[in-house]
Amino acid sequence: MEPPVPPPQEQPPRPRSHTVTTTSSSFTANLSASSSTLAYDREFLRTPPGLLMVTEIVLGLLVWTLIAGTEYFLYPAFGWVMFVAVFYWVLTVFFLIIYMTMTYTRIPQVPWTTVGLCFNGSAFVLYLIAAIVDASSVTKELDSHNYNSWAASSFFAFVVTSCYAGNTYFSFISWRSRTLQ
């Protein structure tokens, strides 16, 4: 048989205090302080990588809009060019926003110089392939009323390729200076 359980004893009511104590952690204080101010780096657009990035966005937009205005979907080669042009256009806009708002300073865990080098290097290689495919696919016999748009897109694809080559060079210089420290 189990021993009887004594009844719970009631404690006398405590007097209520009218003082409220609050505490805050340094994490929430830092979070609210850092998220309330949005940094903006105007000087980035005056640097060679910034100028190249804006040129990549403007001319990359030309590349894919010149192709998108045609019946490119009938020719797989132009589908590849569209994929590369739109994919890197969106990512370049994304990186421009990251650099303009200095978001990279708030996420120090990401090796931004390596990310920039990989991004620009892959954009250069894939854009070069896309520009060659674009140029080799442009013929008057293929579709004469789209010839001018495809020829112009081919020209601008090579210009964008050279911009990505320049940004790859600057990314490499930045990456190399980081790894030597």
Side-chain angles (χ1 to χ4, degrees):
M1 210 165 161
E2 294 183 23
V5 177
Q9 294 186 0
E10 291 186 27
Q11 296 188 4
R14 295 187 332 188
R16 292 190 162 217
S17 170
H18 295 290
T19 305
V20 176
T21 305
T22 60
T23 60
S24 68
S25 70
S26 61
F27 175 75
T28 57
N30 288 339
L31 182 64
S32 64
S34 67
S35 63
S36 65
T37 59
L38 184 63
Y40 176 69
D41 185 12
R42 288 186 183 113
E43 293 302 313
F44 176 74
L45 293 179
R46 293 188 177 110
T47 64
L51 291 171
L52 286 171
M53 194 173 276
V54 170
T55 306
E56 291 161 3
I57 290 170
V58 171
L59 297 182
L61 179 67
L62 268 174
V63 169
W64 66 265
T65 54
L66 283 167
I67 295 175
T70 66
E71 295 88 19
Y72 72 91
F73 47 85
L74 299 174
Y75 309 100
F78 293 115
W80 165 251
V81 177
M82 280 291 290
F83 168 73
V84 171
V86 172
F87 180 74
Y88 280 107
W89 185 83
V90 169
L91 286 179
T92 304
V93 169
F94 174 73
F95 277 113
L96 180 66
I97 291 168
I98 284 177
Y99 291 135
M100 291 293 296
T101 60
M102 297 177 64
T103 303
Y104 60 91
T105 61
R106 296 186 185 163
I107 312 171
Q109 300 85 359
V110 176
W112 289 106
T113 53
T114 305
V115 169
L117 178 61
C118 292
F119 168 71
N120 287 310
S122 67
F124 167 65
V125 169
L126 291 180
Y127 237 107
L128 180 61
I129 294 168
I132 292 169
V133 166
D134 194 3
S136 64
S137 299
V138 176
T139 61
K140 281 199 179 222
E141 293 83 33
L142 193 62
D143 196 352
S144 62
H145 72 279
N146 291 323
Y147 176 78
N148 290 335
S149 293
W150 289 340
S153 74
S154 174
F155 170 77
F156 288 119
F158 279 106
V159 175
V160 173
T161 301
S162 65
C163 290
Y164 279 115
N167 249 344
T168 301
Y169 170 76
F170 289 120
S171 294
F172 177 74
I173 298 299
S174 176
W175 174 80
R176 185 144 186 201
S177 69
R178 288 287 240 196
T179 57
L180 293 178
Q181 291 177 352

